[in-house]
């Protein structure tokens, strides 16, 4: 009984999210990005009221928490893991979308030479975070400048 109750509530929430996605032009444009689905697009639109509040895509990615931690002194900088400071829900959604992209293009060099070149040099989770960072920058560009995603489906190579 409880499971059926929860399933009906989940379906009602999914219908609400889908209706809000279809009613919002920016959300529809964000969903054209590979790795960004309906839930991620609506969450981005709901959370980020004004993309011009961020100076660049890098600042947007840093606000989400998808940039490496920086340590250094004496002019020598060392990059660590991602800081995980910022917006955890959006970061989780973008990392999940990036994981799907990385898994899809892993053995398809014609689709994403950039991703596969990174996979040859770095562990898969590091590449996933790099793709999530790139997705965040693309999201910022679309929110800031308008338009839809016109790049190659899964990479810049």
């Amino acid at each position: 009984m409880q499971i059926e109750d929860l399933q009906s509530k989940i379906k009602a929430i999914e219908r609400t999210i889908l209706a809000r996605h279809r009613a919002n032009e920016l959300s529809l444009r964000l969903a054209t990005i590979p790795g960004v689905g309906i839930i991620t697009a609506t969450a981005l639109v709901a959370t980020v009221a004004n993309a011009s509040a961020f100076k660049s895509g890098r600042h947007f990615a840093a606000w989400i928490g998808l940039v490496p931690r920086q340590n250094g002194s004496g002019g020598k900088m060392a990059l660590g893991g991602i800081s995980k400071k910022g917006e955890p829900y959006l970061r989780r959604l973008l990392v999940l979308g990036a994981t799907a992209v990385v898994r899809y293009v892993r053995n398809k060099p014609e689709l994403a030479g950039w991703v596969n070149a990174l996979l040859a040099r770095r562990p898969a989770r590091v590449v996933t975070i790099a793709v999530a960072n790139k997705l965040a920058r693309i999201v910022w560009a679309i929110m800031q400048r308008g338009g839809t995603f016109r790049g190659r489906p899964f990479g810049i190579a």
Side-chain angles (χ1 to χ4, degrees):
M1 193 67 172
Q2 284 182 332
I3 292 176
E4 293 168 357
D5 224 16
L6 286 174
Q7 286 176 339
S8 65
K9 289 179 182 178
I10 289 170
K11 285 183 183 186
I13 292 170
E14 287 175 346
R15 281 193 299 270
T16 304
I17 291 172
L18 184 61
R20 291 189 181 181
H21 170 70
R22 288 181 177 161
N24 190 307
E25 182 261 336
L26 178 57
S27 180
L28 291 171
R29 287 190 288 127
L30 290 177
T32 61
I33 304 168
V36 176
I38 294 170
I39 292 175
T40 306
T42 54
L44 284 162
V45 169
T47 306
V48 181
N50 185 9
S52 61
F54 302 99
K55 188 175 177 182
S56 67
R58 176 170 169 71
H59 286 105
F60 181 68
W63 176 74
I64 292 174
L66 288 170
V67 294
R69 191 175 312 127
Q70 296 180 356
N71 291 322
S73 65
K76 218 178 207 183
M77 291 302 294
L79 298 177
I82 63 168
S83 64
K84 294 187 182 170
K85 294 180 180 176
E87 181 58 45
Y89 183 63
L90 293 180
R91 183 175 57 252
R92 186 178 314 120
L93 290 174
L94 287 172
V95 169
L96 285 172
T99 303
V101 168
V102 170
R103 287 189 69 193
Y104 184 77
V105 301
R106 183 169 280 222
N107 296 316
K108 296 177 174 53
E110 69 278 0
L111 287 180
W114 176 75
V115 175
N116 287 318
L118 275 178
L119 282 170
R121 298 188 316 264
R122 310 290 282 169
R125 291 308 285 176
V126 172
V127 174
T128 299
I129 298 302
V131 172
N133 185 310
K134 186 172 283 288
L135 286 176
R137 292 170 185 234
I138 292 169
V139 163
W140 177 82
I142 288 177
M143 292 177 94
Q144 180 71 16
R145 299 182 188 125
T148 59
F149 182 75
R150 296 182 309 268
R152 290 182 50 183
F154 292 104
I156 320 298

